[in-house]
Amino acid sequence: MFQIATTASCVWTYDAAMNHLHLLAARVLLLGALSSAFNAALADDKVFEISEISSEGRVVSARFADLDGDGRKDLMIASLNGIPPEEQRSIRVHLQEPDGSYLPSPSHVVTIPNWSAVYDIADLKDTPGEELVLLRPDGITILSIADKELIEWSLPVEGPSTVAAADDERGFDSFQLVYDIGSEPLILVPQIGLVSVLTADGTVMGQVDVGRRANYFVARSSSVISVESNLQLYLDTPKLSIGDVNGDARTDIVAATRHEIRVFLSRPDGLFENEPSYSYPLRLISPLDHSRGSGSVVTTARDVDNNGVLDLIITHVEGTFSDTVTTTYFYRNRDGRWDLANPDDKFVSDGTFSSDLLLDVNDDDVDELVRIQFKFSVLELVEILLTRKIDSVITVHRLLPDGRFDTKPSSRKKFSTGISFDTFRPNGFMPQTGIDINADGLMDVVTSANGKGIEVFLGTENEPFAGRTAMQKMSATGRIRFTDYDDDGLLDFVLYNTQSFDAPVKTGRNLGGLPNPVP
């Protein structure tokens, strides 16, 4: 999902506010569900070797990538200095030294082109290393930043503007634009109502009609409320899932909104038709929720049982603070179709806001259904205001041989975590799942211990979220990315704080001291 607003205030419509609230709740939920209870004293284990790089301005993104083609992963740091109209946006490139370190001063600095909304990193051209892929209003810009002599390619798209209306006023986020589809990588360019499918040289493989939905707030001249602009827009483009739907070993596109799912099957020549191959009306949003913009529908297409075709999970949240209900539907792929009238599984949670994930927690090539549940009521909100903590429950449901998820969870845990009233965000970074810190093939979880450190929960075959294995004390507020930057088979990290103007960027090299039962 890609969301934009026409004003800096981002106070869109009620629809936008509810979706924003749901997103914030889900973020807090996930941290609470995977954090420890902190009843015991914090340990101080040294899992990572920490290095710091001083920030220049507000760091809004940091990534590891081989930018100069020497086989070592370099560090790119995107910073914003000042505020509009004097704001300056730049990327500092720290090339990795032969000993695996990064010098405090950048090798070179790149100015981010104007109107660059989001970026991806991929090896698309013959220049050394990986390139920066930028989404801009008229299409895609590919930028080689291997050294200070920049090389730029422009891939324009026809039709309506992309969703990159302008620079993101608050940041410069990473967003997947490049997909490994078929024999070559393809770029999926989100436009208003369309997605253009391009090759790295700009050849159009199709423009698919994914639909669109928007909500407008028009300020009345007679209103007693003063707003920043006369017309405010909340734009929600469809969520994309990529994979084989009909079992022909070709990669298809699934586009989903809160009202409809559209499936675009790739042709034998790799092209896509403009019109969907078929579509599914969802009919989940009630007339009341539709009129007031409440509720949400989250659709994810994923190969759950590793049989080569995409299955479907739909999470429907309806109601408001006083009458929230979450219903989760699961549909097996049968002959390239999903029978939406007859779900294979259905979970109903009254008075609960739930976020559902499909994760392979025990490395058996079969996903589990991980449900994170939060009691959503006026009383719960009052409790949050009084305690500054949020309670959540995580349940793990394994896939049974008959293709249904077990209604009885194999694991159920309740947790509490603190939240910041300054930002209404969890204290610390969002928990990281689907990663393997000790290289044993099992999924681990890393949290920030409410911003107090790097807290590692190693996974086991029997306990998807086992007890805390290690806790390394440090300031851990912001965002974190895990990558094996020194190619030793162990995940390292970069940590940066998008809300601070002086917090250093931290890198952590995995020392390999965690238990690993697998040779």
Side-chain angles (χ1 to χ4, degrees), residues 496-517:
Y496 56 97
N497 188 352
T498 62
Q499 301 294 317
S500 174
F501 290 86
D502 55 6
V505 175
K506 298 178 182 179
T507 61
R509 184 175 65 86
N510 194 327
L511 298 175
L514 293 172
N516 184 340

Side-chain angles (χ1 to χ4, degrees), residues 1 33 90 135 147 188 258 268 283 344 376 402 411 422 451 453 508:
M1 180 175 66
S90 62
L135 180 65
D147 53 44
L188 270 58
R258 66 197 271 130
R283 303 188 182 99
D344 292 274
F376 206 64
D402 63 358
S411 177
D422 292 332

Side-chain angles (χ1 to χ4, degrees), residues 66-360:
D66 181 7
L67 300 174
D68 61 357
D70 64 356
R72 294 190 292 264
K73 289 186 175 63
D74 310 306
L75 177 61
M76 59 156 282
I77 300 173
S79 301
L80 276 55
N81 284 276
I83 60 174
E86 292 84 19
E87 180 186 72
Q88 296 180 343
R89 295 171 169 246
S90 62
I91 292 175
R92 291 178 286 146
V93 178
H94 296 257
L95 299 177
Q96 187 178 144
E97 297 296 305
D99 63 358
S101 65
Y102 298 98
L103 297 179
S105 299
S107 306
H108 53 280
V109 179
V110 177
T111 299
I112 300 174
N114 289 334
W115 296 354
S116 297
V118 293
Y119 75 93
D120 199 358
I121 295 177
D123 188 2
L124 298 178
K125 297 294 185 178
D126 292 333
T127 49
E130 298 176 282
E131 291 82 33
L132 205 62
V133 184
L134 305 172
L135 180 65
R136 304 177 73 190
D138 59 351
I140 294 292
T141 294
I142 302 175
L143 200 62
S144 172
I145 58 175
D147 53 44
K148 62 181 179 181
E149 301 298 329
L150 303 181
I151 304 176
E152 181 177 322
W153 298 266
S154 178
L155 307 182
V157 293
E158 295 182 354
S161 167
T162 75
V163 295
D167 297 322
D168 183 351
E169 284 202 344
R170 291 173 179 78
F172 182 56
D173 288 332
S174 174
F175 179 79
Q176 186 172 7
L177 297 166
V178 181
Y179 293 81
D180 289 325
I181 300 178
S183 60
E184 62 178 328
L186 294 181
I187 307 170
L188 270 58
V189 186
Q191 297 169 250
I192 298 178
L194 295 176
V195 168
S196 288
V197 185
L198 308 180
T199 64
D201 62 3
T203 301
V204 179
M205 303 299 289
Q207 284 189 313
V208 299
D209 181 3
V210 295
R212 65 187 78 181
R213 59 180 291 261
N215 288 274
Y216 302 90
F217 175 73
V218 180
R220 304 299 180 187
S221 58
S222 59
S223 173
V224 297
I225 301 176
S226 176
V227 295
E228 290 187 5
S229 67
N230 294 328
L231 178 65
Q232 298 181 12
L233 165 66
Y234 170 83
L235 174 66
D236 187 355
T237 65
K239 181 179 180 180
L240 300 181
S241 299
I242 309 299
D244 185 3
V245 173
N246 61 345
D248 61 0
R250 294 194 297 267
T251 305
D252 310 309
I253 299 174
V254 180
T257 68
R258 66 197 271 130
H259 300 297
E260 183 185 31
I261 298 173
R262 298 184 183 184
V263 177
F264 301 87
L265 301 177
S266 60
R267 300 182 345 193
D269 57 7
L271 300 179
F272 292 90
E273 301 289 350
N274 175 259
E275 295 297 320
S277 305
Y278 44 86
S279 60
Y280 300 88
L282 294 177
R283 303 188 182 99
L284 292 175
I285 298 295
S286 68
L288 182 59
D289 276 347
H290 176 67
S291 64
R292 64 189 178 188
S294 57
S296 71
V297 177
V298 179
T299 300
T300 302
R302 183 179 170 99
D303 183 5
V304 173
D305 50 6
N306 200 31
N307 65 349
V309 292
L310 295 179
D311 305 299
L312 196 69
I313 184 170
I314 300 176
T315 302
H316 174 213
V317 180
E318 57 186 316
T320 59
F321 296 117
S322 60
D323 58 356
T324 302
V325 178
T326 298
T327 307
T328 301
Y329 304 90
F330 173 65
Y331 304 91
R332 294 283 302 276
N333 188 319
R334 291 181 172 84
D335 299 323
R337 297 276 183 159
W338 306 295
D339 185 1
L340 297 194
N342 298 289
D344 292 274
D345 267 316
K346 180 179 178 181
F347 296 83
V348 180
S349 302
D350 292 326
T352 300
F353 173 86
S354 295
S355 177
D356 298 317
L357 305 174
L358 292 170
L359 297 172
D360 181 8

